Amino acid sequence: MNLIGRIFENKYQILDVLGRGGMSTVYLAKDIKLQKLWAIKEVSVSTINSKSNLMAETNILKKLDHPALPRIVDIINKNDSIYIVLDYIDGVSLDIQLQEDGIIDEKTVIDWAKQICDVLDYLHCLKPNPIIYRDMKPGNLMLTRLGKIK
């Protein structure tokens, strides 16, 4: 469902589509009261194997606490979709940045690699259940205006 221009859950004004994938659409939204920007990920229940698996995964993710990971602040189950409200990352996906810049200097690439390794180390060392991120690619990484990888 296209939510652009609508007020969602009497709380969020949907401003734009940030991206679309095989299973989800991510919207840019503004909290009406707080005037804060959020990303809202819409996942249709019909596109997933198990709603309970998605909810279990989301509940694990909302417990994560690392500066490179967006926080999940709300989960809304509505109209055969699950909406995950999370931090909006103001930046550009790394794949687009690489296309625009072409060759990246070695110092920058090493800095990015260290940031990525730091968050992967955090995920892999979680107790009692480490998280293995299986979709690591430039298109799933954001580069903030301050040069931080998210």
Side-chain angles (χ1 to χ4, degrees):
M1 172 187 347
N2 187 350
L3 300 175
I4 296 176
R6 296 188 184 181
I7 303 297
F8 181 70
E9 291 292 294
N10 296 317
K11 185 173 182 177
Y12 305 104
Q13 179 183 7
I14 307 299
L15 303 174
D16 202 358
V17 172
L18 293 172
R20 295 184 198 276
M23 293 176 30
S24 65
T25 301
V26 180
Y27 296 96
L28 175 62
K30 182 166 64 172
D31 186 301
I32 296 168
K33 290 181 185 172
L34 300 177
Q35 296 296 298
K36 179 171 172 34
L37 294 177
W38 298 101
I40 299 180
K41 184 175 186 175
E42 175 188 29
V43 182
S44 173
V45 174
S46 65
T47 64
I48 57 176
N49 293 334
S50 166
K51 181 177 173 181
S52 60
N53 283 350
L54 177 64
M55 291 306 292
E57 180 178 325
T58 303
N59 284 322
I60 290 168
L61 295 177
K62 71 182 181 183
K63 295 175 185 173
L64 299 178
D65 184 19
H66 188 280
L69 298 173
R71 294 171 302 142
I72 294 176
V73 296
D74 202 358
I75 300 167
I76 301 160
N77 192 346
K78 181 178 182 173
N79 298 336
D80 295 324
S81 290
I82 294 173
Y83 298 88
I84 304 165
V85 182
L86 57 156
D87 286 326
Y88 166 67
I89 308 299
D90 187 16
V92 62
S93 66
L94 197 54
D95 62 339
I96 291 173
Q97 189 68 47
L98 293 170
Q99 287 176 357
E100 289 177 0
D101 290 351
I103 297 172
I104 309 293
D105 67 274
E106 181 179 352
K107 182 179 178 186
T108 300
V109 172
I110 290 171
D111 180 51
W112 291 350
K114 286 179 179 179
Q115 291 179 59
I116 294 166
C117 287
D118 182 61
V119 71
L120 288 174
D121 181 63
Y122 168 78
L123 293 171
H124 293 177
C125 291
L126 285 172
K127 305 286 186 212
N129 299 311
I131 294 175
I132 307 300
Y133 184 55
R134 299 183 197 279
D135 202 16
M136 181 61 67
K137 59 186 179 185
N140 286 340
L141 298 171
M142 294 292 291
L143 181 64
T144 70
R145 295 173 193 248
L146 299 174
K148 299 297 179 190
I149 297 288
K150 298 279 187 174

